[in-house]
Amino acid sequence: MINKLIEKIRKTNAPIVVGLDPMLDYVPGHILDAAVRGLGETLEAAGEAVWEYNKGIIDAVYDLIPAVKPQIAMYEQFGIPGLVAFQKTVDYCQEKGLVVIGDVKRGDIGSTSAAYANGHLGSVQIGGRKCSAFHEDFITVNPYLGTDGVKPFVDVCREEKKGIFVLVKTSNPSSGEFQDQRVDGKPLYEIVGEHVARWGEECMGDSYSYVGAVVGATYPEMGKVLREIMPKTFILVPGYGAQGGTAADLKPYFNEDGLGAIVNSSRGIICAYKQEKYAKFGAGNYADAARQAVIDMREDIAGALG
């Protein structure tokens, strides 16, 4: 799957992943009102509104980008109807040829970690048949429990030719409370990066590993160090745009081949119609605003990377 992601990045010339992280106040009123008229003020209406909102965005941008990243918490808050919307979103994106990165941040040990891996990347055996549940192409993984927590995901990645992005240095302001603490003279995020590089040696695509890393755009100097530690690791870069990361901050995350990183934007794209810059589109054309935001982001990144 890492080879497919790279192929699509090259084809679109857009190292961009759109974060499909819907909140109800992001959904234009006409979509939510229609769902409530049909299903009442229920979780089912919320799930339907989220799905319709997502579908509009996907239809508007799928030809411009290689990948999407639905954040499962935004769906879980609506219970089972929200998970139905998540599943429909994953299915639809894959039908459109997009690579799907499930932002699920799972991590445990033993059979629990294996169950997470099977549920999101692999399959379960039911009688004589193998069945897949959410079947994303990549997921995000929390490494806090160490190799015991990551190895079950790596095993499934190897078997299914899918991938993970391991949290290494996240973009949030308090990430340093743990991630920057020094252990034997090194910050913890560097130690995690070294482990990611080793785990990735077990699962190589043509030029990059199935085991990727999450490194926030808000810490470019740390990103530069981690790029050197993990030369064959694809980096998922959150924090661009709404969280303060700029295109100029992104250069250290890429290798000399122009690859090695994919940059996430969520609110900056899916809520573009609420920004002054795109206000002319209005709520009725929210998807067209999202498309223009993707085009602008692509140009911004290309200009910064030269």
Side-chain angles (χ1 to χ4, degrees):
M1 192 54 64
I2 188 63
N3 294 339
K4 179 180 178 180
L5 177 61
I6 291 169
E7 177 187 348
K8 291 190 69 65
I9 289 172
R10 284 177 167 149
K11 182 178 179 180
T12 58
N13 196 29
I16 292 170
V17 54
V18 173
L20 297 174
D21 304 349
M23 299 286 286
L24 275 190
D25 60 357
Y26 296 177
V27 179
H30 67 280
I31 295 176
L32 182 57
D33 290 347
V36 169
R37 281 197 302 273
L39 296 166
E41 294 179 336
T42 62
L43 293 172
E44 286 74 17
E48 179 63 19
V50 162
W51 156 240
E52 290 295 337
Y53 172 64
N54 282 354
K55 185 175 183 296
I57 293 169
I58 296 160
D59 286 341
V61 306
Y62 77 92
D63 61 320
L64 299 176
I65 59 171
V68 293
K69 183 177 72 64
Q71 163 51 260
I72 200 167
M74 301 306 180
Y75 303 84
E76 287 179 347
Q77 65 183 323
F78 304 120
I80 299 304
L83 287 177
V84 169
F86 179 85
Q87 183 66 78
K88 289 167 73 172
T89 297
V90 171
D91 291 344
Y92 192 65
C93 288
Q94 290 175 334
E95 288 170 14
K96 289 289 189 179
L98 292 165
V99 173
V100 177
I101 302 170
D103 195 355
V104 301
K105 296 184 177 70
R106 297 299 195 248
D108 211 300
I109 57 172
S111 59
T112 308
S113 208
Y116 281 138
N118 289 335
H120 287 278
L121 296 172
S123 61
V124 292
Q125 189 78 31
I126 302 175
R129 182 183 174 204
K130 282 189 174 182
C131 299
S132 297
F134 294 113
H135 61 74
E136 301 101 300
D137 301 306
F138 291 82
I139 61 171
T140 55
V141 170
N142 190 325
Y144 194 77
L145 282 78
T147 299
D148 291 342
V150 176
K151 188 177 183 299
F153 293 98
V154 175
D155 291 343
V156 171
C157 287
R158 188 187 304 106
E159 181 179 343
E160 300 289 340
K161 301 295 189 288
K162 292 189 176 184
I164 57 175
F165 287 98
V166 178
L167 304 181
V168 175
K169 177 58 184 171
T170 56
S171 58
N172 57 299
S174 67
S175 64
E177 290 178 358
F178 297 145
Q179 296 166 19
D180 296 1
Q181 296 302 306
R182 301 188 78 82
V183 181
D184 295 332
K186 294 181 181 179
L188 181 58
Y189 63 80
E190 287 190 17
I191 296 172
V192 177
E194 291 168 355
H195 277 76
V196 167
R198 285 199 294 272
W199 293 326
E201 291 172 358
E202 302 177 30
C203 293
M204 285 297 300
D206 291 342
S207 54
Y208 286 90
S209 172
Y210 301 168
V211 180
V214 178
V215 183
T218 45
Y219 302 104
E221 289 303 313
M222 299 175 184
K224 182 179 180 180
V225 172
L226 288 165
R227 177 75 283 167
E228 294 174 357
I229 291 172
M230 306 180 295
K232 298 296 184 182
T233 301
F234 230 82
I235 298 177
L236 171 62
V237 187
Y240 170 88
Q243 293 186 54
T246 67
D249 295 327
L250 299 174
K251 197 166 185 178
Y253 298 81
F254 290 82
N255 281 318
E256 291 182 1
D257 60 4
L259 297 169
I262 186 165
V263 183
N264 178 76
S265 179
S266 300
R267 285 170 289 169
I269 292 173
I270 68 174
C271 278
Y273 78 98
K274 291 192 171 190
Q275 300 173 36
E276 183 177 352
K277 181 178 180 180
Y278 304 106
K280 63 183 179 182
F281 289 95
N285 297 306
Y286 75 98
D288 294 327
R291 181 177 179 86
Q292 187 60 52
V294 168
I295 293 170
D296 292 346
M297 180 179 175
R298 182 176 63 187
E299 292 177 355
D300 188 32
I301 292 173
L305 297 181

